[in-house]
Amino acid sequence: MGEKVVAGGIDLSDRQRYRRKLQQCLAGLGRLLAEKRFDRPRNLMGLEIELNLAGADGLPRMMNAEVLERIASRDFQTELGMFNLEVNIVPHRLSGRVLDQLAEELRTGLGYANRKAAEVGSGIVMIGILPTLAQHDLVSANLSDVDRYMLLNDQIVAARGEDFMLDIEGVERLTCTSASIAPEAACTSVQLHLQVTPARFADVWNAAQAVAAVQVAVGANSPFLFGRELWRESRPPLFQQATDTRPPELQAQGVRPRTWFGERWVSSAYDLFEENLRYFPALLPICDDEDPLRVLDDGGVPRLQELVLHNGTVYRWNRPVYGVVDGVPHLRVENRVLPAGPTVTDVIANTAFYYGLVRALAEEARPVWSRLPFAAAADNFDTACRHGIDAELQWPRPGRAGGITRVPAVKLVRDELLPLAAAGLDAWNVEPADRDFYLGVIEERCKRRVNGASWQADTYHRALEAGLERDAALAATTRRYCELMHQGEPVHTWPVGFPGAHS
């Protein structure tokens, strides 16, 4: 969401002015693309991880302000809920020992943050959804005390005009209502950025959309919400429902949700920004003084502040990003599919798999998106969120014959996608030893059919079998998760259950 926003009143003329301003920004983007003003390829990647705060009892701690004050590092920032933080790793060139460097920086940064959190009786948890979160934790009083979150909440609530309905049916069913967007704060994810040239943007975005389901299948880590076992990756349905500005009547009309997968393959970054303007009313109609077209006429580079702000309120799983660094504009694909955790090794394995796979698929002569209907990619994403490592996905048949077949995600990954990811990492000139180590983690998950979500669910059921009540079982699972997370061995090696417990 970028800069801090000042919470002032918004009146009717603001929206119309903002809409005109957005159109000017879009025209400005079109000109920048036409005039080929964008940064040359620099193979830059960036990584952000949203984190939870929990105590030794496994329960959430609403104290990000105190913890951040102690961490006192610009790498760590607030997130939506008071039990959230975000860590940002500075952009790296995608080559050489980058994977091991990222792992080392994350271990150091998270270790330091965890020690600082411990000084105030808290700790860092890297997980998709904290299993011990209760409905009473996710209320507007527990939103971070930051103007932009308050304003965003007020605007989404006003646009919707009624309570948010959560209704997710998975292993169990959860139905409840919320008067604010606070439940969205339960979703903690990993965001992977890749700077691309305009000419490459569409291929990279399409490739990222095609493999989103596979990322979720191998990386799922969010099976619980409010004491219920739901989907293996419950963040997407939760995120969609917790930010849904559409009352049921607008949903019935087919109005698009602000959290969405999309509906078509694209041919340019412009397509996505244009869709955002066409389909989504402004939530934060805050105008900048810049006249983007005049800036362009004068040979400058516009910041396109309104376009950037609006883009930040449309929650695509792969989002286009426009940025300006040192006076030079660039485009990025921001991949928002993955949950946080379980360990640094797992996060970097997911990262290696994504960057390798997207590079290889974007360069194929007959790209997967020319052979896979977009609706099938969207359906795959849904299936992977529901079933995780056990998902069966639709995928183009190998060879010239064509057609679509259904294949277990683990088989697809092992037979077809891991070799592609390895070739993609080679194309980035990533160190072969790192390539093999991190892709080996993905392969082992597939072999053993284990990821964070399956481990959480299996361990929780062990706790129930041992006679614990539901809440106690979730807390015990969370404490054990934290213990193993800090030991740092990848999740496929984690023993299920509790040491010393008789199974």
Side-chain angles (χ1 to χ4, degrees):
M1 284 278 313
E3 306 311 309
K4 300 260 189 296
V5 163
V6 183
I10 289 171
D11 63 29
L12 296 177
S13 63
D14 289 340
R15 290 191 179 278
Q16 290 166 330
R17 188 167 152 242
Y18 189 81
R19 189 178 288 123
R20 282 196 300 274
K21 203 61 204 289
L22 276 175
Q23 291 296 345
Q24 290 171 5
C25 286
L26 188 63
L29 179 69
R31 271 183 57 180
L32 283 164
L33 288 166
E35 293 167 14
K36 301 197 166 28
R37 297 278 296 277
F38 282 85
D39 201 359
R40 64 189 191 292
R42 302 229 314 268
N43 297 354
L44 280 180
M45 57 79 64
L47 176 66
E48 303 167 70
I49 306 178
E50 295 162 352
L51 306 162
N52 287 279
L53 292 171
D57 54 5
L59 300 179
R61 288 285 186 275
M62 303 294 163
M63 53 193 323
N64 63 2
E66 294 96 309
V67 172
L68 281 166
E69 205 174 307
R70 286 176 179 264
I71 293 174
S73 156
R74 293 183 50 191
D75 295 345
F76 287 84
Q77 292 160 353
T78 51
E79 252 304 321
L80 185 59
M82 287 186 179
F83 59 94
N84 299 141
L85 302 177
E86 180 173 87
V87 59
N88 293 300
I89 296 293
V90 297
H92 282 60
R93 190 157 302 224
L94 197 47
S95 67
R97 301 304 306 264
V98 64
L99 297 172
D100 257 6
Q101 285 161 5
L102 289 168
E104 186 52 40
E105 283 173 44
L106 272 176
R107 282 193 192 97
T108 306
L110 293 173
Y112 170 74
N114 197 55
R115 287 194 297 280
K116 290 296 173 189
E119 292 173 9
V120 287
S122 189
I124 302 278
V125 192
M126 225 180 6
I127 196 166
I129 296 175
L130 195 64
T132 49
L133 280 170
Q135 241 185 292
H136 62 77
D137 293 317
L138 291 167
V139 291
S140 51
N142 286 335
L143 290 175
S144 293
D145 188 12
V146 175
D147 282 344
R148 65 184 163 119
Y149 298 134
M150 301 297 181
L151 186 59
L152 186 66
N153 179 62
D154 295 348
Q155 292 295 313
I156 290 182
V157 169
R160 184 173 170 84
E162 59 190 270
D163 280 356
F164 296 88
M165 213 23 236
L166 299 185
D167 186 351
I168 304 173
E169 190 162 359
V171 180
E172 298 176 296
R173 185 169 183 187
L174 171 73
T175 52
C176 63
T177 59
S178 170
S180 76
I181 62 168
E184 184 208 318
C187 308
T188 38
S189 48
V190 171
Q191 284 136 32
L192 301 173
H193 290 258
L194 180 59
Q195 187 179 320
V196 290
T197 58
R200 303 271 298 144
F201 182 94
D203 289 346
V204 170
W205 187 85
N206 290 337
Q209 288 284 95
V211 301
V214 178
Q215 287 181 274
V216 169
V218 297
N221 196 26
S222 318
F224 300 106
L225 177 66
F226 297 164
R228 296 276 183 277
E229 184 179 352
L230 301 174
W231 294 13
R232 283 305 183 243
E233 188 49 60
S234 306
R235 281 167 40 257
L238 169 58
F239 207 113
Q240 178 170 327
Q241 294 177 20
T243 58
D244 205 340
T245 51
R246 310 167 304 160
E249 299 80 2
L250 290 183
Q251 294 181 35
Q253 286 180 38
V255 171
R256 294 159 180 84
R258 289 193 93 96
T259 300
W260 73 324
F261 187 76
E263 59 195 17
R264 61 188 179 122
W265 306 116
V266 301
S267 55
S268 154
Y270 184 90
D271 294 354
L272 297 174
F273 287 104
E274 189 275 330
E275 267 183 2
N276 286 357
L277 268 62
R278 190 153 36 110
Y279 296 143
F280 301 104
L283 286 178
L284 302 170
I286 296 159
C287 285
D288 192 50
D289 301 332
E290 176 183 82
D291 177 341
L293 300 176
R294 178 167 300 157
V295 172
L296 277 166
D297 287 341
D298 295 343
V301 171
R303 293 190 306 279
L304 306 183
Q305 211 67 38
E306 293 85 359
L307 189 75
V308 169
L309 183 60
H310 183 59
N311 187 49
T313 66
V314 179
Y315 303 100
R316 294 176 180 275
W317 294 108
N318 285 293
R319 180 190 267 168
V321 180
Y322 170 86
V324 181
V325 175
D326 300 330
V328 185
H330 69 260
L331 291 171
R332 305 195 299 275
V333 173
E334 180 192 9
N335 176 260
R336 305 155 51 79
V337 167
L338 289 163
T343 63
V344 169
T345 300
D346 287 302
V347 168
I348 300 303
N350 291 341
T351 300
F353 185 50
Y354 170 73
Y355 286 122
L357 199 45
V358 159
R359 171 83 190 239
L361 290 176
E363 293 181 352
E364 281 194 319
R366 289 178 65 224
V368 64
W369 58 91
S370 67
R371 297 176 288 141
L372 184 72
F374 192 91
D379 190 46
N380 280 346
F381 184 63
D382 195 70
T383 302
C385 290
R386 284 175 193 273
H387 302 294
I389 200 93
D390 296 321
E392 292 208 342
L393 305 176
Q394 303 166 66
W395 201 255
R397 278 201 182 84
R400 301 300 301 166
I404 304 292
T405 180
R406 288 199 85 85
V407 56
V410 289
K411 180 174 167 46
L412 176 64
V413 171
R414 289 183 66 188
D415 295 354
E416 198 171 326
L417 301 184
L418 277 171
L420 277 172
L425 291 174
D426 288 346
W428 290 119
N429 292 316
V430 165
E431 174 68 36
D434 293 359
R435 170 201 69 200
D436 294 345
F437 174 74
Y438 289 107
L439 293 182
V441 170
I442 304 291
E443 181 166 25
E444 286 300 318
R445 278 190 223 154
C446 291
K447 266 187 195 161
R448 302 178 196 204
R449 288 185 171 249
V450 170
N451 60 16
S454 70
W455 182 90
Q456 286 186 56
D458 290 349
T459 297
Y460 164 73
H461 287 288
R462 286 279 174 92
L464 291 179
E465 285 157 18
L468 290 184
E469 293 296 320
R470 185 182 284 260
D471 286 352
L474 287 166
T477 300
T478 305
R479 292 193 298 272
R480 180 68 175 140
Y481 179 100
C482 292
E483 204 179 300
L484 292 164
M485 177 193 86
H486 287 299
Q487 287 173 18
E489 292 299 317
V491 73
H492 66 263
T493 66
W494 291 9
V496 168
F498 304 89
H502 301 292
S503 52

